[in-house]
Amino acid sequence: MVKRETLLALNYYKKAIFTGGTFRMRYRIEKCEEGLRATVWRGPLGYDAVPEEEKTVKMFVYAEEGLEEAADWISKEEKEREEYWAAAPSLFELSKRT
């Protein structure tokens, strides 16, 4: 579960991207022209290695309340799609496919 307290200060997002993850769900928060963009995807691969169509994105206002809403949304995604995340392959499984 992602809580606001686990995310960095709002000013951090002016210059950097925040990434994190749980068991097999990954997430990313970044500042863009429209505000804060939060993205979740199924691990174990990193953001750049996953096709865009396999990512879920939601926009939030670039403000403290937007960061709080992003944390809540990521937690909601984690809980509501628990079986989807649990079905993610491990790195070992992915390595056997190549």
Side-chain angles (χ1 to χ4, degrees):
M1 175 176 220
V2 177
K3 295 184 179 185
R4 169 58 190 99
E5 298 82 34
T6 63
L7 303 177
L8 298 175
L10 184 63
N11 283 338
Y12 171 87
Y13 300 92
K14 287 182 181 179
K15 295 187 177 187
I17 296 169
F18 184 85
T19 60
T22 58
F23 177 60
R24 293 213 175 151
M25 181 191 82
R26 305 286 187 248
Y27 61 89
R28 170 179 162 142
I29 301 172
E30 62 189 305
K31 185 180 185 302
C32 61
E33 290 182 19
E34 299 84 22
L36 284 173
R37 176 184 302 157
T39 307
V40 295
W41 68 96
R42 189 160 64 175
L45 300 177
Y47 181 86
D48 292 332
V50 175
E52 289 300 315
E53 60 272 8
E54 294 180 21
K55 299 172 186 169
T56 304
V57 177
K58 187 162 181 177
M59 299 299 299
F60 301 92
V61 63
Y62 181 74
E64 188 59 39
E65 65 261 17
L67 201 50
E68 290 175 17
E69 291 172 0
D72 291 343
W73 175 75
I74 293 167
S75 293
K76 182 179 174 187
E77 286 289 302
E78 178 185 13
K79 184 174 182 176
E80 290 182 355
R81 298 169 64 188
E82 193 172 313
E83 290 180 20
Y84 175 73
W85 308 124
S90 69
L91 282 173
F92 178 72
E93 292 167 329
L94 288 175
S95 70
K96 290 184 353 183
R97 293 181 189 172
T98 58

